[in-house]
Amino acid sequence: MIPDWAAERRNMVETQLSRRGIHDSRVLASMGEIPREDFVPVESRVIAYSDQPVGIGFGQTISQPYMTALMAQCLELTGEERVLEVGSGCGYAAAVLSALASEVVTVEIVPELAALALHNLRRTGRGRNVRVIHGDGGWGYPKEAPYNAISVAAAAPEIPAALLDQLGDPGRLAIPVGTRQDQELRVIHKQNGRIQSRIATLCRFVPLRGGEGWH
Ligand code: SAH
């Protein structure tokens, strides 16, 4: 029997997002619309809407739906922004961000995953305002900077200086910072030259690789 994906999506939005405090109606609407089942590996489609990260190959995962929603909500997007995402993975979060902002640049260090993200975004019709770049996103993507918002989907020991530099003013950055095992999701708000930082939640992301990761 083919699962009723629309029903699974509605159920995820209600039980995993709304009830846990995701209140940004645009985030809820976009995640209620984007076919997450088309971003996970075929053999994992049945667990596409489960309350957990799902493996996508190369030791990487698609984030738990709640974490994608929380990060997007923390960026407070209105639809006008240019967004940088570090860690495209399968492209799902980039698809969500593309529905919430005007332009998305997403950088992925694993070439096969960059290709997969591009493929998934195109075939789900989400690729129009997304550019997928293969490279080390720990250095950001200076060519298109500054960004109104930056979302980092892999955990870093420190906030990479390049990302703070490439964050516009005003701008918001969401990034898991901590050890390889445990992190806190930090939300940085830059405004009038001032930087404020808060902790949105405790979390566990895959480690950032490349020059700004652990050595
Ligand atoms: N955004 C994805 C989550 C992907 S998991 C989602 O929609 O759920 C994190 C991704 O970050 C992995 O694909 C990993 O390969 C990538 N990554 C790790 N270090 C990176 C770096 N320095 N630059 C770019 N991508 C990186």
Side-chain angles (χ1 to χ4, degrees):
M1 211 177 87
I2 299 168
D4 182 347
W5 297 121
E8 291 214 15
R9 218 173 287 132
R10 275 196 303 277
N11 185 47
M12 172 198 67
V13 168
E14 175 58 31
T15 60
Q16 298 179 38
L17 308 186
S18 297
R19 277 191 213 158
R20 288 196 199 140
I22 302 296
H23 51 76
D24 183 326
S25 58
R26 298 177 70 243
V27 171
L28 296 171
S30 68
M31 290 186 63
E33 202 198 317
I34 292 166
R36 189 171 162 91
E37 71 277 11
D38 288 342
F39 287 84
V40 300
V42 178
E43 63 277 14
S44 300
R45 288 187 104 196
V46 288
I47 53 166
Y49 291 95
S50 61
D51 189 12
Q52 61 184 31
V54 174
I56 56 170
F58 306 93
Q60 305 302 325
T61 56
I62 176 173
S63 300
Q64 176 194 24
Y66 175 74
M67 201 48 77
T68 302
L70 181 63
M71 289 183 88
Q73 177 168 279
C74 287
L75 297 176
E76 299 187 27
L77 301 169
T78 64
E80 305 293 311
E81 296 82 3
R82 302 183 59 238
V83 181
L84 173 68
E85 184 195 29
V86 177
S88 323
C90 61
Y92 177 71
V96 172
L97 293 169
S98 80
L100 301 172
S102 81
E103 255 181 87
V104 178
V105 175
T106 180
V107 185
E108 171 57 53
I109 201 163
V110 177
E112 291 88 346
L113 290 176
L116 176 70
L118 183 62
H119 173 77
N120 286 341
L121 286 159
R122 285 210 179 128
R123 81 191 168 105
T124 54
R126 308 281 157 179
R128 283 181 296 274
N129 59 346
V130 185
R131 283 182 64 191
V132 181
I133 309 287
H134 168 230
D136 183 350
W139 310 121
Y141 190 66
K143 251 196 232 170
E144 302 279 337
Y147 303 95
N148 308 109
I150 301 179
S151 178
V152 184
E158 304 283 346
I159 300 177
L163 298 184
L164 280 177
D165 284 350
Q166 291 168 40
L167 185 64
D169 184 344
R172 284 190 167 81
L173 162 67
I175 179 169
V177 178
T179 67
R180 274 174 185 271
Q181 284 78 33
D182 296 290
Q183 307 98 32
E184 46 197 39
L185 180 65
R186 296 235 195 117
V187 182
I188 308 298
H189 184 198
K190 198 192 256 190
Q191 193 164 32
N192 302 322
R194 286 186 46 217
I195 300 240
Q196 285 176 313
S197 172
R198 71 179 174 91
I199 297 167
T201 189
L202 298 178
C203 54
R204 180 168 294 180
F205 279 72
V206 295
L208 188 74
R209 299 167 57 181
E212 291 288 308
W214 284 270
H215 299 287

